[in-house]
Amino acid sequence: TWCWEATHARCDARLAELGLELPGPHPYPSPNRRACVRVGDIVFLSGHGTGRRAMPLGCRQFGKVGAEVSETEAYLCAKAVALTMIATLKAELGELDRVRRVIRLMGMVNGAPGFDRQFAVIDGASDLFHDLWGPEFGCHARAAVGVAELPRRAVLEIMGEFEVHPDR
């Protein structure tokens, strides 16, 4: 059962079934930007990455994928970043059952020269959203690109767009 089929308590139960706990929401040190902005029924999440603080799931924070960080480790990083994105959504909306669907993700991977499996890395996030919200509402549009550098040498950064149920 995916959380779109039931209540907030069901989303928390589904996370527990997956063996996952939410960290705190993604911090932003400057008042000129936020972790997310809601426009109508769409929530736009800013880039959430591994470089600002210790990550859940014990994933690596820093390094280039394909040199210092393995593809398997980077996949776990994408899953951990997805958890911080979910925590941000919960902080913004109050309840995860307010999320109607995942619309789109944009994943940026700090890759070593020649690393070309960014899609496999960002699957860590896509797989978690699919597992949590199900095949209809967790499936999303996506881009996964390699970049030469990310702030603070982060392994990766992901932005997202989510549709939410209208305010009740």
Side-chain angles (χ1 to χ4, degrees), residues 26-114:
H26 194 68
Y28 276 84
S30 176
N32 70 354
R33 59 193 181 274
R34 301 181 50 186
C36 64
V37 172
R38 183 172 176 185
V39 178
D41 294 339
I42 308 296
V43 176
F44 297 86
L45 266 65
S46 295
H48 285 55
T50 64
R52 187 168 305 283
R53 65 174 180 182
M55 298 299 296
L57 307 179
C59 83
R60 301 275 303 265
Q61 277 188 268
F62 312 106
K64 292 204 169 282
V65 181
E68 304 158 288
V69 179
S70 73
E71 182 180 313
T72 301
E73 290 172 315
Y75 175 95
L76 184 65
C77 288
K79 185 175 182 178
V81 166
L83 277 174
T84 66
M85 295 170 78
I86 294 166
T88 295
L89 286 166
K90 186 171 183 177
E92 177 71 15
L93 302 170
E95 297 180 359
L96 290 175
D97 71 324
R98 300 279 317 279
V99 176
R100 182 178 176 123
R101 74 168 302 121
V102 183
I103 298 171
R104 178 171 55 178
L105 300 180
M106 169 62 175
M108 296 160 280
V109 177
N110 185 2

Side-chain angles (χ1 to χ4, degrees), residues 118-141:
Q118 296 83 3
F119 63 91
V121 169
I122 302 302
D123 276 347
S126 292
D127 289 348
L128 177 56
F129 291 131
H130 188 271
D131 288 345
L132 187 58
W133 277 289
E136 184 176 352
F137 299 106
C139 188
H140 49 271

